[in-house]
Amino acid sequence: MTVRVLVADDQDLVRTGLAMILDDQPGIEVVGQAADGRTAVDLAHRLRPDVCLVDIRMPGLDGIEVTEILAGRDVADPVAVVVITTFDLDEYVHGALRAGARGFLLKDAGPELLVQAVHAAAAGDALIAPNVTRRLLATLAAGAPSRSRAQPVEPLTPREEEVLRLVAVGRTNAEIAAELFVSLTTAKTHVASLLTKIGARNRVEIAMWAYDTGRVRG
């Protein structure tokens, strides 16, 4: 199955470069490009790509606003969004993920991580660049837990608490399985249970919930 991608970035060279990298990959097709946020939203609604790769800073609508429109919690038919930015803009990570982004990358992440993020988003998973995860942890650990986050509908088991912390620091299912000495299927089952119990849509929201409830403090 080919993953159809829309690339949105206001810098022509960056946008063209990202599109070329993705188009060169087997199983990925760039179906559209946008130089501003409003065009990105219009094209996403018209083309219905599997994944939108969106820059955080764009004219018209920024990446967070685009993400909220395309993938926000109240969107009936959301589109998977991966947000991409530069080092000096990563203070927007939290906002983008809260808006519904399924991934967050820095522009120097490299082709391999870019392709992984696109495939993860298309599969309903999420990927955050490891260096972003570390910075995000440091930022969130400095703040107090949010009182707006509801507790789980059912208490988490001790094993689920372990899995929660590993998801929150960016571990994949395979890494969780290896670290906890369980099968990959078991790891996936625990993650699925977490999604249900805390009402999260994806792994990113699991991580946000872990930070907000004080379960992960860096």
Side-chain angles (χ1 to χ4, degrees):
M1 175 181 170
T2 298
V3 178
R4 302 170 66 253
V5 181
L6 170 68
V7 178
D9 195 299
D10 63 331
Q11 299 180 44
D12 291 343
L13 286 177
V14 173
R15 186 178 66 253
T16 302
L18 292 170
M20 288 177 63
I21 290 170
L22 293 174
D23 253 339
D24 195 44
Q25 301 297 317
I28 295 179
E29 177 190 3
V30 175
V31 296
Q33 297 184 39
D36 62 80
R38 293 190 186 281
T39 302
V41 170
D42 291 342
L43 285 177
H45 285 154
R46 181 159 56 87
L47 300 175
R48 296 301 301 176
D50 299 304
V51 178
C52 292
L53 185 65
V54 177
D55 183 24
I56 201 78
R57 275 278 182 92
M58 292 185 294
L61 296 171
D62 65 28
I64 294 176
E65 292 170 316
V66 170
T67 302
E68 187 70 41
I69 292 170
L70 297 179
R73 183 168 290 276
D74 297 327
V75 177
D77 189 15
V79 177
V81 176
V82 174
V83 174
I84 189 166
T85 187
T86 52
F87 270 109
D88 61 333
L89 296 179
D90 66 5
E91 66 267 23
Y92 293 109
V93 175
H94 203 186
L97 298 181
R98 285 199 180 286
R102 283 196 190 163
F104 201 102
L105 296 176
L106 302 175
K107 288 185 179 179
D108 65 351
E112 184 178 353
L113 200 58
L114 173 65
V115 172
Q116 287 178 13
V118 166
H119 280 299
D125 209 335
L127 185 150
I128 309 174
N131 43 2
V132 173
T133 301
R134 288 192 294 271
R135 295 169 72 101
L136 180 61
L137 268 170
T139 300
L140 295 178
S146 169
R147 297 184 181 276
S148 63
R149 286 283 180 166
Q151 292 303 307
V153 293
E154 296 178 36
L156 302 186
T157 66
R159 179 63 89 184
E160 287 168 349
E161 292 280 5
E162 290 180 298
V163 173
L164 175 75
R165 287 189 286 273
L166 292 174
V167 170
V169 296
R171 298 289 195 274
T172 65
N173 286 339
E175 289 168 338
I176 291 170
E179 191 158 337
L180 298 181
F181 302 102
V182 298
S183 70
L184 181 59
T185 299
T186 299
K188 290 180 178 178
T189 299
H190 286 312
V191 172
S193 179
L194 285 172
L195 290 169
T196 300
K197 284 187 175 183
I198 68 178
R201 294 171 296 177
N202 53 53
R203 299 170 76 91
V204 171
E205 290 196 353
I206 290 177
M208 293 298 97
W209 186 87
Y211 302 140
D212 285 348
T213 57
R215 283 170 164 82
V216 176
R217 299 303 303 258

